[in-house]
Amino acid sequence: MRKHDSFEDDGRTIADMSGVGPTPTLRPQPRKPAAAPDPANDRPWEQPGEWTRKEKFWAVLGALKATLLIAGAYLAGLAALLAVLFWLWK
């Protein structure tokens, strides 16, 4: 954004900072207990959803594939390191 462009707020909330206050730097004071937020269904993406059996299967499969990919990269690096050490020792 250039200096001369006008700023237009689109009204979206990136992070709710309503419960955050200033931090005292010179004299620490005990914190007041935060009030519990009112339950509302205005954020359905934060509500825990029920997964179907098929969705659970694909989530586990994806996690397994990621784990095997990372383990394979580490094993390939270890094999290369051992090959270089063996070549230098011989």
Side-chain angles (χ1 to χ4, degrees):
M1 191 161 92
R2 298 183 313 209
K3 273 187 177 182
H4 302 292
D5 288 345
S6 63
F7 175 72
E8 250 184 73
D9 188 11
D10 58 1
R12 292 184 289 176
T13 302
I14 303 298
D16 185 16
M17 302 292 288
S18 61
V20 179
T23 306
T25 55
L26 298 177
R27 294 184 308 150
Q29 298 172 355
R31 294 184 179 210
K32 297 175 186 172
D38 295 332
N41 199 11
D42 61 343
R43 296 180 180 189
W45 57 89
E46 292 179 356
Q47 304 296 328
E50 295 296 324
W51 285 18
T52 64
R53 185 176 177 92
K54 193 174 186 179
E55 289 173 333
K56 288 179 188 177
F57 171 76
W58 287 109
V60 169
L61 189 65
L64 185 64
K65 283 187 346 184
T67 304
L68 290 175
L69 180 66
I70 292 170
Y74 275 106
L75 288 176
L78 181 63
L81 178 68
L82 290 176
V84 168
L85 289 176
F86 182 71
W87 180 70
L88 289 176
W89 184 55
K90 191 175 180 184

